[in-house]
Amino acid sequence: MPQISAKGNAMPQSPIRKLVPFAEAAKKRGTTVFHLNIGQPDIKTPQVALDAIKNNDIEVLAYSRSEGSEEYRTKIANYYSKHNVAVKHDDIIVTTGGSEALLFTFGSIMDADDEVIIPEPFYANYNGFSTASGVKVVPVMSSIDNGFALPPIEEFEKLISPKTKAILICNPGNPTGYLYSKEEIKKLAEIVKKHDLFLIADEVYREFAYDGLTHHSVLAEEGLDENAIVIDSVSKRYSMCGARIGCIVSRNKNFMATAMKFAQARLSPPTYAQIASEAALETPDSYFTDVIEEYTERRNTLISELQKIEGVKVATPKGAFYCIAELPVLNADDFAQWLLEKFDLNGETIMVAPAAGFYSTPGVGMNQVRIAYVLEKLSLITAANILKEALVEYKATVEVATL
Amino acid sequence: MPQISAKGNAMPQSPIRKLVPFAEAAKKRGTTVFHLNIGQPDIKTPQVALDAIKNNDIEVLAYSRSEGSEEYRTKIANYYSKHNVAVKHDDIIVTTGGSEALLFTFGSIMDADDEVIIPEPFYANYNGFSTASGVKVVPVMSSIDNGFALPPIEEFEKLISPKTKAILICNPGNPTGYLYSKEEIKKLAEIVKKHDLFLIADEVYREFAYDGLTHHSVLAEEGLDENAIVIDSVSKRYSMCGARIGCIVSRNKNFMATAMKFAQARLSPPTYAQIASEAALETPDSYFTDVIEEYTERRNTLISELQKIEGVKVATPKGAFYCIAELPVLNADDFAQWLLEKFDLNGETIMVAPAAGFYSTPGVGMNQVRIAYVLEKLSLITAANILKEALVEYKATVEVATL
């Protein structure tokens, strides 16, 4: 029988996906499941994007340019100029989601066994893209106790080896909700310049900064033209996760020419989704004002409800729409499964994402979960109450039995 | 300055794309360019697919399932049953084009420096996907003199090493137009079973078989459940190249579970395009009857016109919509550029794809070009006449000067 590759065997399973069968079984039993586990917003996609699709007059659904049309990229450059980032259309390659942007980036700058330093916890699929690209994630630990702020720069310095090619940050952070300050970005800029590394910033949650805080792009940092690479996506910005449109942005010409070869090999990003994404750029500012207000309220509600639960520790997120919560359990993986398999409160339960999958250091984050606040306020209150009651029952029955 | 990876440097440029600036310059000069270089059909996308997009009622453009919806995959399985291939929905993973299907497949079955044997000339982007995946293409030469039939199986046998993990065929072939016979598929089946290899068949041109010939899928071959992997795409079938929807089909459970991990890491294929692709399965049979008739006429026209040109050798394609033509020139790359830069016949010229990029053996195919017959008959006649006159002038002026 032909064999699976070592790479294929090493590919991680989605830490969220493995619970799906238990959620489906719960629903079949008639239990309502509140999905705190996924970053799929319930916010409506801007009407201007939906209308563009309904009004398209395509007769032959043809390939687009591998890098996206010049018109769309010019509009994207204009969008960045409003965010204090000066780039031109040829500093941009349109990709099939942020996922592909990251894969092209990894392929362009890293060979087998090269290393990328990432503050952990980090977006779980970074593990998948690294394995697929044959490169190694070197984690630097951030802590819930200071809200997952940038670890001391000396901790990065200690980890840099001749194999290190890049530092990757997610800003604002999934799963932490942390928003890096201008000073933190400057520290990162210095270290990548000093060691000739790339600084890759996944900025797909750029707009989701709360409490009047400002997002600082690595592309707004001076003297970083050769080092800075931004990964972007329309998925969260316009509640268009299903479009699968993102982009790579960099002023490094060599890097862009290399990424372009990866883009050409796969021909083009999806045409319909580009039409919707181009139109989405016309979304009125009021849409974001409303959305940010909504998320701020949801965040406030969720955090205050979580803080009321005995033994739960949570850092207030400054951006994105996730938080990491530390629970008074030994194994959040087991607890998450138990919530779906064994528990309900008046016919309702919750699905959370065990946080261990967001770390690459084995054994870390075992008592943490990621909670996405992509549901409306009342559902979040109900969900927090379910969590509270579930913790009492879980500790009294399951954990007592294992002690 | 941070450095590009060796992989990034090794990524091949598109053999077609590098001529684009010359084509654009020709158009700016007012020259009409007949595009014989790309596989972008001018055939209209089925109305049922276009309508499904215009009539969609999406309000939140959400992620789809990573593997595509069960409903869509069930319909795809039903489509295969009409093509003598019995598969179930869970033998199918929906991908972002055939490109992604091939990348997931390479990642699932090959590690760095593993080898895949491919009859050459082959689809140029196989080189790109191999480089991106860190694996090595081992070519086995097919010849224009027998229409690019399957090379003797002993030639494959000679090339098999412990590093060999798969044989990859494109059937019907891009760029050759060759359609493998049932006997040839059986020979391949035997050798992959004997050596425990995967047999990957890129069958995206399945419907495009002419002269009453039948396409034989590797999935219709008995005893090949663990070895056979089909790469598919809606791009050519429904003239939906811009959809970027394809799939992987295999009955090998281990392989599918592995490919699924790659699919989960990139979240999902594009949602709008899946709606169009699902609807496209309702395309009436008459659409294909008309399309095949049209392509048959175009092929007949092109081949008979090419055969009239002195010094041109061409094999009659049995499928797909390409042919490889051998030209009486020393360097088809140079000739193709000259056609765009220096030549016109009454204000018209042609763009062809130099065939060297479809070979991985250096120096082979230097006097060949790939011609796609995706234009209407009259344009093909005009284009062939331009080629004839251009060859006379090129040989009299350019090649004479270099001798």
Side-chain angles (χ1 to χ4, degrees), chain A residues 1 5-8 17 45 54 56 59 61 107-108 111 196 242 261 264 271, chain B residues 1 5-8 17 45 54 56 61 107-108 111 196 242 261 264 271:
Chain A
M1 192 183 296
S5 61
K7 177 192 283 187
R17 191 63 58 149
T45 306
K54 294 182 83 81
N56 87 82
E59 293 198 330
L61 184 57
S108 299
D111 288 308
D196 270 338
K261 294 189 287 183
Q264 287 181 356
T271 298
Chain B
M1 193 182 296
S5 62
K7 178 193 281 187
R17 189 64 56 149
T45 306
K54 294 183 85 80
N56 85 83
L61 185 57
S108 299
D111 287 308
D196 270 339
K261 293 190 288 183
Q264 287 181 356
T271 297

PDB file of all heavy atoms in Angstrom, chain A residues 1 5-8 17 45 54 56 59 61 107-108 111 196 242 261 264 271, chain B residues 1 5-8 17 45 54 56 61 107-108 111 196 242 261 264 271:
ATOM      1  N   MET A   1       0.840  -1.201   0.000  1.00  0.00           N
ATOM      2  CA  MET A   1       0.000   0.000   0.000  1.00  0.00           C
ATOM      3  C   MET A   1       0.876   1.254   0.000  1.00  0.00           C
ATOM      4  O   MET A   1       1.847   1.313   0.753  1.00  0.00           O
ATOM      5  CB  MET A   1      -0.894  -0.003   1.252  1.00  0.00           C
ATOM      6  CG  MET A   1      -2.000   1.036   1.195  1.00  0.00           C
ATOM      7  SD  MET A   1      -2.992   1.067   2.718  1.00  0.00           S
ATOM      8  CE  MET A   1      -3.717  -0.581   2.662  1.00  0.00           C
ATOM      9  N   SER A   5       3.043  10.763   3.577  1.00  0.00           N
ATOM     10  CA  SER A   5       4.328  11.399   3.859  1.00  0.00           C
ATOM     11  C   SER A   5       4.479  11.694   5.356  1.00  0.00           C
ATOM     12  O   SER A   5       3.488  11.782   6.088  1.00  0.00           O
ATOM     13  CB  SER A   5       4.431  12.708   3.081  1.00  0.00           C
ATOM     14  OG  SER A   5       3.409  13.594   3.485  1.00  0.00           O
ATOM     15  N   ALA A   6       5.731  11.884   5.792  1.00  0.00           N
ATOM     16  CA  ALA A   6       5.971  12.313   7.171  1.00  0.00           C
ATOM     17  C   ALA A   6       5.322  13.673   7.402  1.00  0.00           C
ATOM     18  O   ALA A   6       4.736  13.943   8.451  1.00  0.00           O
ATOM     19  CB  ALA A   6       7.479  12.388   7.430  1.00  0.00           C
ATOM     20  N   LYS A   7       5.408  14.547   6.387  1.00  0.00           N
ATOM     21  CA  LYS A   7       4.764  15.862   6.487  1.00  0.00           C
ATOM     22  C   LYS A   7       3.252  15.716   6.690  1.00  0.00           C
ATOM     23  O   LYS A   7       2.666  16.372   7.558  1.00  0.00           O
ATOM     24  CB  LYS A   7       5.042  16.662   5.207  1.00  0.00           C
ATOM     25  CG  LYS A   7       4.353  18.011   5.164  1.00  0.00           C
ATOM     26  CD  LYS A   7       4.390  18.666   3.788  1.00  0.00           C
ATOM     27  CE  LYS A   7       5.748  19.265   3.494  1.00  0.00           C
ATOM     28  NZ  LYS A   7       5.749  20.059   2.234  1.00  0.00           N
ATOM     29  N   GLY A   8       2.648  14.850   5.892  1.00  0.00           N
ATOM     30  CA  GLY A   8       1.198  14.623   6.007  1.00  0.00           C
ATOM     31  C   GLY A   8       0.827  14.114   7.388  1.00  0.00           C
ATOM     32  O   GLY A   8      -0.160  14.549   7.983  1.00  0.00           O
ATOM     33  N   ARG A  17     -11.947  21.651  15.040  1.00  0.00           N
ATOM     34  CA  ARG A  17     -12.671  20.711  14.201  1.00  0.00           C
ATOM     35  C   ARG A  17     -12.888  19.367  14.887  1.00  0.00           C
ATOM     36  O   ARG A  17     -13.906  18.721  14.697  1.00  0.00           O
ATOM     37  CB  ARG A  17     -11.872  20.554  12.901  1.00  0.00           C
ATOM     38  CG  ARG A  17     -12.552  19.824  11.788  1.00  0.00           C
ATOM     39  CD  ARG A  17     -13.795  20.506  11.272  1.00  0.00           C
ATOM     40  NE  ARG A  17     -13.582  21.865  10.778  1.00  0.00           N
ATOM     41  CZ  ARG A  17     -14.284  22.412   9.800  1.00  0.00           C
ATOM     42  NH1 ARG A  17     -15.222  21.703   9.177  1.00  0.00           N
ATOM     43  NH2 ARG A  17     -14.071  23.659   9.435  1.00  0.00           N
ATOM     44  N   THR A  45     -22.784  40.971   6.029  1.00  0.00           N
ATOM     45  CA  THR A  45     -21.841  41.458   5.024  1.00  0.00           C
ATOM     46  C   THR A  45     -22.369  42.783   4.474  1.00  0.00           C
ATOM     47  O   THR A  45     -23.582  42.913   4.284  1.00  0.00           O
ATOM     48  CB  THR A  45     -21.737  40.409   3.895  1.00  0.00           C
ATOM     49  OG1 THR A  45     -21.402  39.149   4.475  1.00  0.00           O
ATOM     50  CG2 THR A  45     -20.687  40.797   2.864  1.00  0.00           C
ATOM     51  N   LYS A  54     -24.784  40.285  -7.045  1.00  0.00           N
ATOM     52  CA  LYS A  54     -26.099  40.067  -7.672  1.00  0.00           C
ATOM     53  C   LYS A  54     -26.212  40.835  -8.996  1.00  0.00           C
ATOM     54  O   LYS A  54     -26.962  40.442  -9.878  1.00  0.00           O
ATOM     55  CB  LYS A  54     -27.218  40.478  -6.711  1.00  0.00           C
ATOM     56  CG  LYS A  54     -27.267  39.576  -5.472  1.00  0.00           C
ATOM     57  CD  LYS A  54     -28.400  39.925  -4.535  1.00  0.00           C
ATOM     58  CE  LYS A  54     -29.719  39.312  -4.937  1.00  0.00           C
ATOM     59  NZ  LYS A  54     -29.851  37.915  -4.514  1.00  0.00           N
ATOM     60  N   ASN A  56     -23.632  41.488 -11.084  1.00  0.00           N
ATOM     61  CA  ASN A  56     -22.512  41.260 -12.015  1.00  0.00           C
ATOM     62  C   ASN A  56     -23.047  40.826 -13.373  1.00  0.00           C
ATOM     63  O   ASN A  56     -24.122  40.242 -13.469  1.00  0.00           O
ATOM     64  CB  ASN A  56     -21.566  40.193 -11.435  1.00  0.00           C
ATOM     65  CG  ASN A  56     -21.999  38.789 -11.796  1.00  0.00           C
ATOM     66  OD1 ASN A  56     -21.717  38.288 -12.878  1.00  0.00           O
ATOM     67  ND2 ASN A  56     -22.727  38.149 -10.888  1.00  0.00           N
ATOM     68  N   GLU A  59     -20.335  36.755 -18.344  1.00  0.00           N
ATOM     69  CA  GLU A  59     -20.852  35.705 -19.238  1.00  0.00           C
ATOM     70  C   GLU A  59     -19.864  34.548 -19.351  1.00  0.00           C
ATOM     71  O   GLU A  59     -20.249  33.403 -19.539  1.00  0.00           O
ATOM     72  CB  GLU A  59     -21.123  36.290 -20.623  1.00  0.00           C
ATOM     73  CG  GLU A  59     -22.269  37.294 -20.606  1.00  0.00           C
ATOM     74  CD  GLU A  59     -22.822  37.555 -21.988  1.00  0.00           C
ATOM     75  OE1 GLU A  59     -22.044  37.458 -22.958  1.00  0.00           O
ATOM     76  OE2 GLU A  59     -24.035  37.843 -22.087  1.00  0.00           O
ATOM     77  N   LEU A  61     -16.861  33.189 -17.015  1.00  0.00           N
ATOM     78  CA  LEU A  61     -16.210  33.367 -15.705  1.00  0.00           C
ATOM     79  C   LEU A  61     -14.712  33.052 -15.863  1.00  0.00           C
ATOM     80  O   LEU A  61     -14.257  31.945 -15.611  1.00  0.00           O
ATOM     81  CB  LEU A  61     -16.863  32.451 -14.671  1.00  0.00           C
ATOM     82  CG  LEU A  61     -16.354  32.579 -13.228  1.00  0.00           C
ATOM     83  CD1 LEU A  61     -16.498  34.004 -12.717  1.00  0.00           C
ATOM     84  CD2 LEU A  61     -17.082  31.609 -12.316  1.00  0.00           C
ATOM     85  N   GLY A 107       6.812  30.277   1.840  1.00  0.00           N
ATOM     86  CA  GLY A 107       7.557  29.664   0.732  1.00  0.00           C
ATOM     87  C   GLY A 107       8.622  30.585   0.168  1.00  0.00           C
ATOM     88  O   GLY A 107       9.698  30.136  -0.243  1.00  0.00           O
ATOM     89  N   SER A 108       8.339  31.873   0.156  1.00  0.00           N
ATOM     90  CA  SER A 108       9.263  32.835  -0.461  1.00  0.00           C
ATOM     91  C   SER A 108      10.479  33.128   0.400  1.00  0.00           C
ATOM     92  O   SER A 108      11.518  33.536  -0.116  1.00  0.00           O
ATOM     93  CB  SER A 108       8.529  34.158  -0.750  1.00  0.00           C
ATOM     94  OG  SER A 108       7.468  33.949  -1.651  1.00  0.00           O
ATOM     95  N   ASP A 111      13.263  28.010   3.799  1.00  0.00           N
ATOM     96  CA  ASP A 111      13.487  26.667   3.283  1.00  0.00           C
ATOM     97  C   ASP A 111      13.223  25.645   4.384  1.00  0.00           C
ATOM     98  O   ASP A 111      12.958  26.011   5.526  1.00  0.00           O
ATOM     99  CB  ASP A 111      14.921  26.549   2.755  1.00  0.00           C
ATOM    100  CG  ASP A 111      15.094  27.312   1.453  1.00  0.00           C
ATOM    101  OD1 ASP A 111      14.291  27.071   0.540  1.00  0.00           O
ATOM    102  OD2 ASP A 111      16.015  28.147   1.360  1.00  0.00           O
ATOM    103  N   ASP A 196      18.552  41.116  10.302  1.00  0.00           N
ATOM    104  CA  ASP A 196      18.152  40.866   8.903  1.00  0.00           C
ATOM    105  C   ASP A 196      17.043  39.823   8.781  1.00  0.00           C
ATOM    106  O   ASP A 196      17.130  38.869   7.992  1.00  0.00           O
ATOM    107  CB  ASP A 196      19.369  40.415   8.072  1.00  0.00           C
ATOM    108  CG  ASP A 196      20.084  41.613   7.463  1.00  0.00           C
ATOM    109  OD1 ASP A 196      19.451  42.679   7.328  1.00  0.00           O
ATOM    110  OD2 ASP A 196      21.267  41.474   7.116  1.00  0.00           O
ATOM    111  N   GLY A 242     -16.321  33.736   3.818  1.00  0.00           N
ATOM    112  CA  GLY A 242     -16.477  32.781   2.721  1.00  0.00           C
ATOM    113  C   GLY A 242     -15.971  33.286   1.384  1.00  0.00           C
ATOM    114  O   GLY A 242     -15.944  32.534   0.409  1.00  0.00           O
ATOM    115  N   LYS A 261       5.649  34.468  -8.195  1.00  0.00           N
ATOM    116  CA  LYS A 261       5.815  33.184  -8.881  1.00  0.00           C
ATOM    117  C   LYS A 261       4.908  32.113  -8.267  1.00  0.00           C
ATOM    118  O   LYS A 261       4.348  31.280  -8.979  1.00  0.00           O
ATOM    119  CB  LYS A 261       7.287  32.758  -8.855  1.00  0.00           C
ATOM    120  CG  LYS A 261       8.188  33.678  -9.670  1.00  0.00           C
ATOM    121  CD  LYS A 261       9.606  33.121  -9.823  1.00  0.00           C
ATOM    122  CE  LYS A 261      10.404  33.213  -8.544  1.00  0.00           C
ATOM    123  NZ  LYS A 261      11.797  32.736  -8.711  1.00  0.00           N
ATOM    124  N   GLN A 264       1.445  32.919  -9.609  1.00  0.00           N
ATOM    125  CA  GLN A 264       1.235  32.507 -11.004  1.00  0.00           C
ATOM    126  C   GLN A 264       0.985  31.002 -11.113  1.00  0.00           C
ATOM    127  O   GLN A 264       0.179  30.568 -11.931  1.00  0.00           O
ATOM    128  CB  GLN A 264       2.440  32.894 -11.853  1.00  0.00           C
ATOM    129  CG  GLN A 264       2.511  34.395 -12.121  1.00  0.00           C
ATOM    130  CD  GLN A 264       3.696  34.775 -12.983  1.00  0.00           C
ATOM    131  OE1 GLN A 264       4.515  33.932 -13.328  1.00  0.00           O
ATOM    132  NE2 GLN A 264       3.775  36.055 -13.325  1.00  0.00           N
ATOM    133  N   THR A 271     -12.667  34.866  -8.865  1.00  0.00           N
ATOM    134  CA  THR A 271     -13.164  36.064  -9.557  1.00  0.00           C
ATOM    135  C   THR A 271     -14.375  36.691  -8.868  1.00  0.00           C
ATOM    136  O   THR A 271     -14.395  37.899  -8.601  1.00  0.00           O
ATOM    137  CB  THR A 271     -13.493  35.715 -11.024  1.00  0.00           C
ATOM    138  OG1 THR A 271     -12.279  35.300 -11.659  1.00  0.00           O
ATOM    139  CG2 THR A 271     -14.063  36.908 -11.773  1.00  0.00           C
TER     140      THR A 271
ATOM    141  N   MET B   1      20.019  43.041   4.619  1.00  0.00           N
ATOM    142  CA  MET B   1      18.699  42.828   4.013  1.00  0.00           C
ATOM    143  C   MET B   1      18.274  41.360   4.159  1.00  0.00           C
ATOM    144  O   MET B   1      19.098  40.463   3.946  1.00  0.00           O
ATOM    145  CB  MET B   1      18.783  43.201   2.515  1.00  0.00           C
ATOM    146  CG  MET B   1      17.421  43.319   1.865  1.00  0.00           C
ATOM    147  SD  MET B   1      17.535  43.692   0.092  1.00  0.00           S
ATOM    148  CE  MET B   1      18.302  45.307   0.128  1.00  0.00           C
ATOM    149  N   SER B   5      14.255  32.734   0.054  1.00  0.00           N
ATOM    150  CA  SER B   5      14.622  31.329   0.250  1.00  0.00           C
ATOM    151  C   SER B   5      15.150  30.717  -1.042  1.00  0.00           C
ATOM    152  O   SER B   5      14.883  31.209  -2.142  1.00  0.00           O
ATOM    153  CB  SER B   5      13.390  30.546   0.712  1.00  0.00           C
ATOM    154  OG  SER B   5      12.385  30.600  -0.285  1.00  0.00           O
ATOM    155  N   ALA B   6      15.883  29.616  -0.903  1.00  0.00           N
ATOM    156  CA  ALA B   6      16.329  28.866  -2.089  1.00  0.00           C
ATOM    157  C   ALA B   6      15.110  28.358  -2.861  1.00  0.00           C
ATOM    158  O   ALA B   6      15.081  28.381  -4.095  1.00  0.00           O
ATOM    159  CB  ALA B   6      17.208  27.691  -1.650  1.00  0.00           C
ATOM    160  N   LYS B   7      14.082  27.948  -2.121  1.00  0.00           N
ATOM    161  CA  LYS B   7      12.839  27.496  -2.769  1.00  0.00           C
ATOM    162  C   LYS B   7      12.228  28.624  -3.592  1.00  0.00           C
ATOM    163  O   LYS B   7      11.832  28.432  -4.743  1.00  0.00           O
ATOM    164  CB  LYS B   7      11.842  27.039  -1.703  1.00  0.00           C
ATOM    165  CG  LYS B   7      10.509  26.608  -2.254  1.00  0.00           C
ATOM    166  CD  LYS B   7       9.445  26.454  -1.170  1.00  0.00           C
ATOM    167  CE  LYS B   7       9.613  25.144  -0.430  1.00  0.00           C
ATOM    168  NZ  LYS B   7       8.482  24.910   0.519  1.00  0.00           N
ATOM    169  N   GLY B   8      12.174  29.805  -3.001  1.00  0.00           N
ATOM    170  CA  GLY B   8      11.614  30.967  -3.701  1.00  0.00           C
ATOM    171  C   GLY B   8      12.392  31.286  -4.960  1.00  0.00           C
ATOM    172  O   GLY B   8      11.806  31.560  -6.014  1.00  0.00           O
ATOM    173  N   ARG B  17       3.576  33.808 -18.927  1.00  0.00           N
ATOM    174  CA  ARG B  17       3.472  35.123 -18.328  1.00  0.00           C
ATOM    175  C   ARG B  17       4.611  36.050 -18.753  1.00  0.00           C
ATOM    176  O   ARG B  17       4.438  37.240 -18.898  1.00  0.00           O
ATOM    177  CB  ARG B  17       3.442  34.932 -16.803  1.00  0.00           C
ATOM    178  CG  ARG B  17       3.129  36.155 -15.992  1.00  0.00           C
ATOM    179  CD  ARG B  17       1.732  36.716 -16.212  1.00  0.00           C
ATOM    180  NE  ARG B  17       0.679  35.748 -15.984  1.00  0.00           N
ATOM    181  CZ  ARG B  17      -0.524  36.076 -15.527  1.00  0.00           C
ATOM    182  NH1 ARG B  17      -0.799  37.327 -15.229  1.00  0.00           N
ATOM    183  NH2 ARG B  17      -1.445  35.149 -15.399  1.00  0.00           N
ATOM    184  N   THR B  45     -20.084  30.482 -19.945  1.00  0.00           N
ATOM    185  CA  THR B  45     -20.372  29.688 -18.753  1.00  0.00           C
ATOM    186  C   THR B  45     -21.859  29.300 -18.789  1.00  0.00           C
ATOM    187  O   THR B  45     -22.685  30.123 -19.195  1.00  0.00           O
ATOM    188  CB  THR B  45     -20.085  30.546 -17.506  1.00  0.00           C
ATOM    189  OG1 THR B  45     -18.746  31.038 -17.596  1.00  0.00           O
ATOM    190  CG2 THR B  45     -20.247  29.760 -16.226  1.00  0.00           C
ATOM    191  N   LYS B  54     -26.535  35.076  -9.348  1.00  0.00           N
ATOM    192  CA  LYS B  54     -27.365  36.289  -9.336  1.00  0.00           C
ATOM    193  C   LYS B  54     -28.561  36.135  -8.389  1.00  0.00           C
ATOM    194  O   LYS B  54     -29.073  37.122  -7.865  1.00  0.00           O
ATOM    195  CB  LYS B  54     -27.839  36.634 -10.752  1.00  0.00           C
ATOM    196  CG  LYS B  54     -26.667  37.031 -11.664  1.00  0.00           C
ATOM    197  CD  LYS B  54     -27.112  37.437 -13.048  1.00  0.00           C
ATOM    198  CE  LYS B  54     -27.522  38.885 -13.143  1.00  0.00           C
ATOM    199  NZ  LYS B  54     -26.405  39.819 -13.253  1.00  0.00           N
ATOM    200  N   ASN B  56     -28.576  34.288  -5.546  1.00  0.00           N
ATOM    201  CA  ASN B  56     -28.222  33.835  -4.199  1.00  0.00           C
ATOM    202  C   ASN B  56     -28.814  34.786  -3.152  1.00  0.00           C
ATOM    203  O   ASN B  56     -29.025  35.970  -3.433  1.00  0.00           O
ATOM    204  CB  ASN B  56     -26.697  33.759  -4.035  1.00  0.00           C
ATOM    205  CG  ASN B  56     -26.092  35.079  -3.642  1.00  0.00           C
ATOM    206  OD1 ASN B  56     -26.066  35.446  -2.467  1.00  0.00           O
ATOM    207  ND2 ASN B  56     -25.635  35.837  -4.634  1.00  0.00           N
ATOM    208  N   LEU B  61     -21.674  36.240   4.365  1.00  0.00           N
ATOM    209  CA  LEU B  61     -20.858  35.385   3.487  1.00  0.00           C
ATOM    210  C   LEU B  61     -19.906  34.562   4.357  1.00  0.00           C
ATOM    211  O   LEU B  61     -18.756  34.933   4.583  1.00  0.00           O
ATOM    212  CB  LEU B  61     -20.082  36.253   2.483  1.00  0.00           C
ATOM    213  CG  LEU B  61     -19.266  35.501   1.428  1.00  0.00           C
ATOM    214  CD1 LEU B  61     -20.136  34.553   0.630  1.00  0.00           C
ATOM    215  CD2 LEU B  61     -18.547  36.472   0.503  1.00  0.00           C
ATOM    216  N   GLY B 107       1.603  17.357  -0.817  1.00  0.00           N
ATOM    217  CA  GLY B 107       1.936  17.466   0.604  1.00  0.00           C
ATOM    218  C   GLY B 107       1.594  16.203   1.378  1.00  0.00           C
ATOM    219  O   GLY B 107       2.309  15.819   2.309  1.00  0.00           O
ATOM    220  N   SER B 108       0.513  15.550   0.998  1.00  0.00           N
ATOM    221  CA  SER B 108       0.043  14.376   1.746  1.00  0.00           C
ATOM    222  C   SER B 108       0.877  13.134   1.485  1.00  0.00           C
ATOM    223  O   SER B 108       0.909  12.225   2.314  1.00  0.00           O
ATOM    224  CB  SER B 108      -1.418  14.065   1.398  1.00  0.00           C
ATOM    225  OG  SER B 108      -2.250  15.150   1.747  1.00  0.00           O
ATOM    226  N   ASP B 111       7.559  13.866   0.851  1.00  0.00           N
ATOM    227  CA  ASP B 111       8.407  14.705   1.679  1.00  0.00           C
ATOM    228  C   ASP B 111       9.489  15.341   0.807  1.00  0.00           C
ATOM    229  O   ASP B 111       9.585  15.049  -0.395  1.00  0.00           O
ATOM    230  CB  ASP B 111       9.026  13.861   2.802  1.00  0.00           C
ATOM    231  CG  ASP B 111       7.990  13.502   3.850  1.00  0.00           C
ATOM    232  OD1 ASP B 111       7.325  14.435   4.338  1.00  0.00           O
ATOM    233  OD2 ASP B 111       7.830  12.314   4.156  1.00  0.00           O
ATOM    234  N   ASP B 196       3.976  -0.028  -5.170  1.00  0.00           N
ATOM    235  CA  ASP B 196       3.311   0.705  -4.084  1.00  0.00           C
ATOM    236  C   ASP B 196       3.399   2.225  -4.263  1.00  0.00           C
ATOM    237  O   ASP B 196       3.762   2.959  -3.333  1.00  0.00           O
ATOM    238  CB  ASP B 196       3.905   0.316  -2.724  1.00  0.00           C
ATOM    239  CG  ASP B 196       3.158  -0.859  -2.116  1.00  0.00           C
ATOM    240  OD1 ASP B 196       1.989  -1.086  -2.521  1.00  0.00           O
ATOM    241  OD2 ASP B 196       3.731  -1.549  -1.261  1.00  0.00           O
ATOM    242  N   GLY B 242     -12.421  31.177 -13.613  1.00  0.00           N
ATOM    243  CA  GLY B 242     -12.312  32.148 -12.531  1.00  0.00           C
ATOM    244  C   GLY B 242     -13.007  31.727 -11.243  1.00  0.00           C
ATOM    245  O   GLY B 242     -12.891  32.407 -10.223  1.00  0.00           O
ATOM    246  N   LYS B 261      -6.531  17.481   6.521  1.00  0.00           N
ATOM    247  CA  LYS B 261      -5.824  18.353   7.463  1.00  0.00           C
ATOM    248  C   LYS B 261      -5.274  19.591   6.739  1.00  0.00           C
ATOM    249  O   LYS B 261      -5.303  20.701   7.280  1.00  0.00           O
ATOM    250  CB  LYS B 261      -4.705  17.582   8.177  1.00  0.00           C
ATOM    251  CG  LYS B 261      -5.254  16.498   9.114  1.00  0.00           C
ATOM    252  CD  LYS B 261      -4.165  15.897   9.993  1.00  0.00           C
ATOM    253  CE  LYS B 261      -3.225  15.000   9.222  1.00  0.00           C
ATOM    254  NZ  LYS B 261      -2.206  14.366  10.079  1.00  0.00           N
ATOM    255  N   GLN B 264      -8.311  21.818   6.188  1.00  0.00           N
ATOM    256  CA  GLN B 264      -8.758  22.526   7.394  1.00  0.00           C
ATOM    257  C   GLN B 264      -7.875  23.734   7.691  1.00  0.00           C
ATOM    258  O   GLN B 264      -8.359  24.769   8.129  1.00  0.00           O
ATOM    259  CB  GLN B 264      -8.768  21.582   8.591  1.00  0.00           C
ATOM    260  CG  GLN B 264      -9.911  20.588   8.535  1.00  0.00           C
ATOM    261  CD  GLN B 264      -9.941  19.673   9.739  1.00  0.00           C
ATOM    262  OE1 GLN B 264      -9.066  19.722  10.590  1.00  0.00           O
ATOM    263  NE2 GLN B 264     -10.960  18.827   9.816  1.00  0.00           N
ATOM    264  N   THR B 271     -16.965  30.444  -1.196  1.00  0.00           N
ATOM    265  CA  THR B 271     -18.393  30.129  -1.066  1.00  0.00           C
ATOM    266  C   THR B 271     -19.192  30.440  -2.341  1.00  0.00           C
ATOM    267  O   THR B 271     -19.943  29.592  -2.819  1.00  0.00           O
ATOM    268  CB  THR B 271     -18.970  30.895   0.141  1.00  0.00           C
ATOM    269  OG1 THR B 271     -18.309  30.436   1.329  1.00  0.00           O
ATOM    270  CG2 THR B 271     -20.467  30.653   0.290  1.00  0.00           C
TER     271      THR B 271
END
